[in-house]
């Protein structure tokens, strides 16, 4: 057997990649295929599906049926998607604003201090997201630690009651996804040749010009990768909006969960999932077209 693979490099490569291909087919392609099929089936009365082809789930996304069975435009689900995109976009921007200076500070430290700081950045990955989100409930609840601190320093005169608002939702999302922004930006900045920055100073550039013309453009692949890593999970976030938002303002993840849970409308839940998947794929293709070629060239 060993001699067989030695004589046939193509067969050796196929044998090496076959476990990964099998895992992708079994755990990604197969479930997605089932979801796609379910999205084109009819809803059963008590959950499950009726095996008859129907486009009703995709029609329901934009329209509702009147008493005479005519279609009326319904923007309710579009508003949920718009709210989710808005919240995810704000979260991404805040993560860039916080994450970029953090990553820039990290790469300018000594190796020993840098390792310690990187360890601190990755600590949230060691704790379950559910536990961390419950901790934020204690902080943001009425007359909680945040309210107490703001009143103590004189910023507010009475409790703000941040819990179960969009602000609490936003705080939780930024906290949850900030490491996903810091790490790819750090990876890009770590490869940066800071002699270019020194050359810019020698040519008369100030700090802001060097940052704008040298550092940010060279860190852009990391910033873009961080935006993808934050934006995409934010769109489908479920735990944080459910616990910190109190389920008052639905996001896409909560809406999909409702369809597979209380509403027992599996085809519509599958259709919503595929609408979200299509949007994510468009974002990934856009990233690949913008930065993929440059990354490959850089890799050479």
């Amino acid at each position: 057997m060993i001699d067989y693979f030695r004589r046939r490099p193509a067969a050796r490569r196929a044998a090496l990649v076959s476990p990964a291909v099998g895992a992708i087919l079994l755990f990604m392609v197969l479930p997605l295929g089932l979801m796609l099929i379910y999205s084109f089936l009819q809803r059963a009365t008590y959950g499950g599906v009726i095996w008859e082809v129907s486009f009703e789930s995709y029609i329901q996304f934009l329209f509702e049926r009147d008493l005479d069975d005519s279609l009326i435009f319904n923007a309710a689900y579009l508003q949920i998607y718009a709210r989710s995109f808005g919240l995810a976009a704000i979260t991404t921007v805040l993560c860039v604003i916080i994450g970029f200076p953090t990553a820039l500070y990290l790469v300018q430290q000594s190796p020993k201090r840098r390792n310690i700081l990187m360890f601190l950045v990755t600590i949230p990955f060691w704790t379950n997201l559910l536990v961390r989100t419950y901790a934020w409930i204690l902080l943001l609840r009425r007359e909680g630690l945040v309210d107490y601190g703001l009143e103590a320093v004189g910023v507010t005169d009475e409790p703000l009651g941040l819990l179960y608002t969009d602000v609490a939702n936003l705080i939780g999302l930024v906290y949850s996804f900030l490491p996903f922004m810091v790490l790819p930006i750090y990876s890009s900045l770590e490869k940066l040749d800071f002699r270019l920055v020194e050359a810019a100073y020698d040519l008369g550039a100030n700090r802001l010009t060097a940052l704008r013309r040298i550092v940010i453009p060279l860190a852009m692949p990391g910033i873009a990768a961080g935006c993808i890593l934050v934006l995409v999970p934010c769109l489908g976030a479920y735990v944080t909006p459910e616990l910190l938002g109190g389920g008052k303002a639905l996001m896409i993840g909560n809406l999909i969960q409702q369809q597979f849970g209380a509403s027992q409308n599996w085809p519509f839940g599958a259709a919503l999932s595929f609408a979200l998947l299509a949007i994510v794929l468009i974002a990934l293709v856009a990233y690949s077209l913008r930065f993929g070629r440059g990354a490959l060239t850089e890799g050479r």
Side-chain angles (χ1 to χ4, degrees):
M1 181 65 75
I2 294 176
D3 292 337
Y4 174 82
F5 283 116
R6 281 178 179 171
R7 290 194 300 271
R8 293 171 175 79
R12 186 170 65 246
R13 287 193 293 271
L16 289 173
V17 301
S18 58
V21 173
I24 291 173
L25 291 174
L26 181 62
F27 297 113
M28 190 178 79
V29 176
L30 180 60
L32 286 178
L34 288 174
M35 290 281 284
L36 180 62
I37 293 171
Y38 273 38
S39 70
F40 287 103
L41 297 178
Q42 291 188 20
R43 170 191 182 183
T45 306
Y46 302 105
V49 294
I50 299 173
W51 288 85
E52 294 179 7
V53 177
S54 170
F55 295 94
E56 188 65 28
S57 299
Y58 291 95
I59 294 173
Q60 187 181 349
F61 185 67
L62 294 175
F63 301 96
E64 62 178 351
R65 293 195 178 277
D66 205 353
L67 294 176
D68 59 354
D69 207 32
S70 61
L71 295 176
I72 302 174
F73 179 71
N74 179 13
Y77 298 118
L78 287 179
Q79 289 174 355
I80 294 173
Y81 269 63
R83 182 190 305 121
S84 300
F85 271 94
L87 207 54
I90 295 172
T91 302
T92 304
V93 171
L94 290 176
C95 284
V96 172
I97 293 173
I98 301 171
F100 182 81
T102 304
L104 187 58
Y105 175 77
L106 286 173
V107 297
Q108 293 176 325
Q109 304 306 306
S110 64
K112 182 179 179 181
R113 186 179 175 84
R114 188 186 305 177
N115 290 335
I116 295 173
L117 294 174
M118 284 301 295
F119 169 75
L120 295 176
V121 171
T122 56
I123 278 182
F125 292 120
W126 297 16
T127 311
N128 187 278
L129 175 62
L130 191 63
V131 176
R132 287 184 278 136
T133 307
Y134 270 115
W136 273 106
I137 291 179
L138 300 176
L139 294 174
L140 297 175
R141 68 182 176 85
R142 196 171 186 82
E143 299 181 354
L145 192 60
V146 172
D147 278 343
Y148 177 77
L150 293 175
E151 289 181 30
V153 298
V155 177
T156 59
D157 297 327
E158 57 184 13
L160 294 176
L162 292 174
L163 192 60
Y164 305 139
T165 65
D166 283 342
V167 176
N169 223 345
L170 194 60
I171 292 172
L173 290 173
V174 170
Y175 165 75
S176 300
F177 293 108
L178 184 58
F180 293 98
M181 182 64 74
V182 173
L183 294 178
I185 296 177
Y186 171 83
S187 178
S188 286
L189 290 176
E190 195 179 25
K191 302 171 187 172
L192 177 65
D193 187 351
F194 278 92
R195 289 177 298 181
L196 295 174
V197 180
E198 295 174 4
Y201 290 152
D202 292 341
L203 293 173
N206 55 30
R207 287 176 178 268
L208 183 61
T209 303
L211 179 69
R212 185 169 55 85
R213 303 289 296 273
I214 304 294
V215 178
I216 291 179
L218 291 176
M220 194 53 71
I223 296 173
C227 290
I228 294 289
L229 290 174
V230 172
L231 180 68
V232 173
C234 264
L235 289 173
Y238 170 73
V239 173
T240 303
E242 184 70 19
L243 296 181
L244 298 183
K248 293 180 179 177
L250 281 180
M251 289 186 68
I252 298 174
N254 305 90
L255 178 62
I256 293 173
Q257 188 276 335
Q258 280 190 2
Q259 301 308 315
F260 283 100
S263 299
Q264 297 187 338
N265 192 346
W266 295 9
F268 187 47
L272 291 172
S273 303
F274 262 86
L276 178 60
L277 179 63
I279 295 168
V280 170
L281 286 178
I282 291 172
L284 292 177
V285 169
Y287 169 78
S288 178
L289 291 175
R290 175 63 181 84
F291 297 103
R293 186 175 300 175
L296 289 175
T297 304
E298 189 177 297
R300 291 173 187 169

